[in-house]
Amino acid sequence: MAERPPVTDWATDFDHLSDEWGARGPEIVAELRERCPVAHTERFHGAYLVTRYDDIAEVARDTTTFSSRITLINDNHPDDVKLELPPITLDPPGHSEIRRPMLPLFNPKEVAQLEPFIRESATKALDAIEGHEYVDGAEDFAQLIPVDLMMHLYGVESDLGPQFRSWVDGMLKDGVADIEIARKANREVQAYFVEEMNRRRAHPTDDLISTILHAEADLGDGGTRPFTERERIGTLFVLLLGGIDTTWSSIGSALYHLATNPDDLARLAADPELMPSAVEEFLRFYSPVTIARVIKEDAEIAGCPVDAGKRLLLSYPSANRDPSHFESPDEVIIDRENNRHMAFGVGVHRCLGSNLARTEMVIALTEWVKRFPRFELAVDPSDIVWTVGPVRGPRKVPLHILS
Ligand code: HEM
């Protein structure tokens, strides 16, 4: 694993994989937003970090200058990153060929049909900890909901929860700092999906793996063609990565918030109708995803020159606390109006699973608050460790359930 010398100045030497970033990420980006909205580092073969709402929106929409070929920044040289995760790693026009046929999979009607399953999964997890005085909101609850759901969607019968979580961690956490871990997870996931698709070739099913197996790319001129095998593996893979860690982190952050803000908890316990707007506010304030782009040609962002060939990070979490777009951005206001947050991104890559993610969060948190209307953090807030990498969230949220 690469050594990480301490950061000398976050504006010119940032390190988004450092422990300090995990501990103080939101403060660091708030300071940069004011002082140096396009920060730079010589680490990672040279990279930039964009922190203002308007600049992030502009970069995300400019797919001609900024490519999604690589969506994370680690110690690997950009030329050595070959991970294909369509549609997230595709630029137009190829991007929409894959994205369009995937859109119906997570439209509101499809997601509504999943509600009973999500509720049952939350209830099952809560039943298992009912009566315990101390529980872990992340381990005993948040991490289970999205994994259960993805297994259900893929049509996986045995309990592969721990395996799915270890692959996700291998790709998005441990593997970001240690490429060998990522390579291993990558090999295993690819082999897993190839085997599952072969099984469905022999015995057809009607789950997500079969749907992707038979998916047709939309060529935009009325024509279609079957997904290639690499596209099939890549789309199944991106759904695993996109669908699990983000929601797991978001539910965990929300429980952390409620454990440390008894007034918000009491309001939600008294008025569950507030949950959808509270979820939007949790998504804004605790936005998990920071994503990368590759600079295709020399350009300027907010007057700062950025060099072709280098990568940049779009801090959606920072955009979501930009005071030029949000009143009192550093306060959580669970009935906030005009909450045009960017937690799901902006532009052509805007999250394909946002309906599903919102539904999972609303159901999981509603069921939790119904079961445990009073609880508090069992440790000091400074003891919570926030993950670094493309997805930020707490992996442990120790809670004391109050009677
Ligand atoms: C709270 C939960 C979630 C958050 C915060 C989130 C966030 C995001 C963000 C910020 C992007 C845009 C990335 C970019 O700009 O390049 C994105 C894309 C994507 N997300 Fe999510 N996501 C969540 C849940 C999900 C779920 C549940 C799924 C599916 C099961 C999913 C699937 C995807 C896919 C496939 C893309 C790529 C879309 C494209 O490139 O056209 N996400 N997500």
Side-chain angles (χ1 to χ4, degrees):
M1 203 188 306
E3 253 191 53
R4 318 214 73 83
V7 170
T8 50
D9 178 346
W10 282 90
T12 55
D13 180 40
F14 73 81
D15 181 356
H16 64 294
L17 301 182
S18 64
D19 292 344
E20 190 186 353
W21 176 266
R24 295 202 312 114
E27 290 119 83
I28 293 168
V29 290
E31 197 235 332
L32 289 176
R33 215 190 294 118
E34 288 300 309
R35 180 162 77 93
C36 175
V38 183
H40 176 247
T41 190
E42 287 301 324
R43 299 169 196 245
F44 316 110
H45 310 279
Y48 305 91
L49 167 62
V50 187
T51 48
R52 285 192 187 157
Y53 189 104
D54 291 335
D55 298 335
I56 290 173
E58 207 177 305
V59 171
R61 290 197 172 106
D62 181 358
T63 54
T64 309
T65 316
F66 304 102
S67 168
S68 283
R69 184 171 63 81
I70 304 174
T71 52
L72 59 79
I73 298 186
N74 55 15
D75 294 318
N76 268 19
H77 190 277
D79 292 345
D80 295 335
V81 180
K82 302 269 188 276
L83 199 57
E84 290 174 29
L85 297 173
I88 210 167
T89 51
L90 290 175
D91 295 325
H95 168 258
S96 56
E97 292 184 7
I98 303 299
R99 179 178 167 104
R100 262 198 303 263
M102 291 175 77
L103 282 170
L105 300 175
F106 301 106
N107 68 22
K109 202 169 130 233
E110 290 297 320
V111 170
Q113 287 178 9
L114 292 168
E115 284 182 18
F117 179 86
I118 300 169
R119 186 159 288 110
E120 196 186 309
S121 155
T123 306
K124 210 171 57 187
L126 290 167
D127 287 347
I129 51 177
E130 172 90 60
H132 296 200
E133 192 182 345
Y134 290 93
V135 300
D136 193 294
E139 288 187 347
D140 300 332
F141 189 68
Q143 67 169 356
L144 305 178
I145 311 295
V147 173
D148 251 17
L149 181 62
M150 290 314 292
M151 287 195 304
H152 173 69
L153 290 174
Y154 287 138
V156 177
E157 275 156 25
S158 47
D159 180 13
L160 286 185
Q163 179 65 80
F164 276 23
R165 279 191 291 274
S166 107
W167 283 334
V168 168
D169 271 347
M171 294 302 295
L172 298 180
K173 296 278 163 305
D174 315 327
V176 178
D178 185 339
I179 193 65
E180 284 313 315
I181 297 181
R183 287 206 174 110
K184 179 170 178 290
N186 183 17
R187 275 194 307 273
E188 288 177 7
V189 176
Q190 303 224 13
Y192 171 74
F193 283 130
V194 167
E195 196 186 315
E196 289 297 308
M197 283 194 288
N198 284 339
R199 212 191 296 263
R200 281 157 185 76
R201 283 184 175 105
H203 304 284
T205 55
D206 62 355
D207 52 38
L208 184 57
I209 297 184
S210 284
T211 305
I212 294 292
L213 180 61
H214 301 294
E216 297 270 325
D218 177 343
L219 302 178
D221 55 2
T224 61
R225 59 157 178 86
F227 275 20
T228 64
E229 192 72 350
R230 283 159 82 125
E231 287 166 347
R232 294 180 185 126
I233 297 169
T235 46
L236 288 167
F237 201 164
V238 81
L239 293 172
L240 181 83
L241 294 180
I244 291 181
D245 196 1
T246 48
T247 322
W248 165 6
S249 295
S250 298
I251 297 172
S253 303
L255 289 178
Y256 164 83
H257 178 83
L258 295 176
T260 46
N261 290 273
D263 292 350
D264 286 344
L265 176 58
R267 267 185 90 188
L268 285 168
D271 184 3
E273 301 285 304
L274 265 181
M275 193 56 91
S277 90
V279 160
E280 292 310 308
E281 184 65 343
F282 297 147
L283 282 165
R284 181 190 72 81
F285 192 84
Y286 296 98
S287 289
V289 177
T290 296
I291 202 107
R293 298 286 189 265
V294 187
I295 304 163
K296 284 204 276 191
E297 48 198 68
D298 288 351
E300 270 193 10
I301 304 169
C304 307
V306 294
D307 304 339
K310 293 186 176 176
R311 288 171 286 184
L312 58 79
L313 281 174
L314 298 179
S315 175
Y316 291 128
S318 175
N320 285 341
R321 297 209 205 170
D322 187 332
S324 65
H325 282 265
F326 300 95
E327 246 175 69
S328 310
D330 295 320
E331 251 178 75
V332 173
I333 303 171
I334 58 173
D335 55 357
R336 183 183 284 274
E337 285 171 10
N338 304 323
N339 195 349
R340 292 176 61 80
H341 67 72
M342 255 192 228
F344 291 117
V346 63
V348 296
H349 291 283
R350 195 183 172 283
C351 181
L352 205 98
S354 60
N355 296 316
L356 185 57
R358 287 182 160 122
T359 301
E360 281 181 80
M361 287 182 71
V362 169
I363 293 178
L365 293 167
T366 303
E367 292 303 317
W368 176 286
V369 172
K370 204 161 44 161
R371 188 78 65 104
F372 302 128
R374 293 182 64 240
F375 60 96
E376 62 187 15
L377 208 57
V379 295
D380 191 82
S382 63
D383 290 332
I384 300 291
V385 177
W386 298 82
T387 53
V388 294
V391 183
R392 178 181 174 84
R395 281 291 189 259
K396 282 182 191 290
V397 184
L399 298 173
H400 180 201
I401 306 292
L402 305 169
S403 46

